């Protein structure tokens, strides 16, 4: 079944730890995105990729980094986590063939808590 | 000022009610308008999208766009407890970088 998968779903870590949030999609979509979602707030785009070896920062400044070595994989890394990084991180993908509406398919999210 | 404004609710209605969810926006260049539904502890999923003005119907859901008023609506007829979720509006301009602007979401609770 075509889908988009995020792991871990929940993560609680201490300050200063390095973490990687994994995102994989099986739909062959060329575009992938990372959004940050806090309660009662809009989704904010933090990173996006139009294809392999293409990554750009989004509108919301983030200390995280991403990589896109394979079409299906778009991991997000925080080198040194801080309490201010506590949030829900949503991965999404879209297909250039539907570039008009740019319909996004979202993963279930990774909820990160930094103590 | 935010580009997209959405009342966060919560909105509580009895089963069977007609629900109206709304967003206003400031950018007259927006051409694509979408509604996503997000259940608790899940990612958003697309409900409907419309291009430019007009109405679109899909089962119990109707999306309306009024570009002259910069106002979009989602109507849910015969609401069910399974409709309880957060509803996010999203919109973008046509062409160029495919950037979606999201509203903050409205929490809806449909009680039996």
């Amino acid at each position: 079944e075509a889908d988009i998968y995020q792991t871990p779903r929940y993560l609680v870590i201490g300050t200063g730890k390095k973490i990687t949030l994994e995102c994989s999609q099986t739909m062959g979509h060329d575009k992938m995105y990372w959004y940050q979602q806090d309660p009662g707030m809009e989704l904010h785009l933090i990173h996006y990729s139009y294809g392999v070896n293409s990554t750009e920062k989004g509108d919301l400044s983030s200390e995280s980094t991403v990589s896109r070595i394979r079409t299906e994989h778009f991991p997000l890394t925080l080198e040194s986590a801080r309490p201010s990084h506590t949030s829900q991180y949503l991965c999404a993908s879209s297909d250039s063939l539907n570039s008009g509406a740019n319909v996004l398919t979202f993963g279930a999210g990774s909820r990160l808590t930094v103590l | 000022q935010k580009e997209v404004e959405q009342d966060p609710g919560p909105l509580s209605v009895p089963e069977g009610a007609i629900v109206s969810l709304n967003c206003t926006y400031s950018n007259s260049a927006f051409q694509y308008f979408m509604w996503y539904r997000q259940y608790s502890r899940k990612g958003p999923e697309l409900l409907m999208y419309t291009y430019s003005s007009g109405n679109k119907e899909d089962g119990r859901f109707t999306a309306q766009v009024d570009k002259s008023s910069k106002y979009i609506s989602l109507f849910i007829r015969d609401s069910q407890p399974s409709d309880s979720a957060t509803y996010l509006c999203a919109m973008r301009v046509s062409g160029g970088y495919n950037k979606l602007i999201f509203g903050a979401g409205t929490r809806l609770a449909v009680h039996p």
Side-chain angles (χ1 to χ4, degrees), chain A residues 11-17 19 78 80-87 89 111-115:
Chain A
L11 181 63
V12 181
I13 59 168
T15 297
K17 298 292 186 184
I19 64 107
L78 272 169
S80 180
R82 294 204 300 271
S84 59
H85 296 137
T86 294
S87 188
Y89 293 85
R111 181 165 297 280
L112 172 66
T113 302
V114 184
L115 303 175

Side-chain angles (χ1 to χ4, degrees), chain A residues 9-10 31 33 35 37 40-43 45 48 50 59 90 98-104 106-108, chain B residues 2 4 32 34 36 38 41-46 49 88 92-93 96-104:
Chain A
R9 290 291 315 280
Y10 303 93
K31 297 186 176 71
Y33 313 81
Y35 285 85
Q37 184 180 35
M41 302 292 290
E42 304 86 350
L43 271 69
L45 182 66
Y48 63 96
Y50 282 168
D59 300 321
L90 289 164
N98 189 21
S99 60
N102 192 38
V103 172
L104 300 183
F106 283 89
Chain B
K2 295 180 182 178
V4 178
Y32 290 93
M34 297 159 208
Y36 284 82
Q38 185 175 21
R41 297 185 178 86
K42 301 284 189 182
E45 57 177 339
L46 180 74
Y49 79 85
L88 306 163
R92 66 177 291 266
V93 301
Y97 161 42
N98 297 332
K99 176 180 173 180
L100 272 180
I101 307 297
F102 283 88

Side-chain angles (χ1 to χ4, degrees), chain A residues 9-77:
Chain A
R9 290 291 315 280
Y10 303 93
L11 181 63
V12 181
I13 59 168
T15 297
K17 298 292 186 184
K18 177 181 178 179
I19 64 107
T20 296
L21 304 179
E22 301 287 349
C23 177
S24 293
Q25 50 98 1
T26 59
M27 296 168 285
H29 286 172
D30 52 347
K31 297 186 176 71
M32 296 189 73
Y33 313 81
W34 277 103
Y35 285 85
Q36 191 170 331
Q37 184 180 35
D38 294 306
M41 302 292 290
E42 304 86 350
L43 271 69
H44 288 291
L45 182 66
I46 51 175
H47 296 284
Y48 63 96
S49 167
Y50 282 168
V52 171
N53 295 325
S54 153
T55 61
E56 300 287 345
K57 288 188 179 295
D59 300 321
L60 184 67
S61 175
S62 174
E63 294 162 346
S64 58
T65 58
V66 292
S67 62
R68 188 89 182 274
I69 299 171
R70 303 198 314 267
T71 298
E72 63 272 19
H73 195 214
F74 192 40
L76 180 146
T77 297

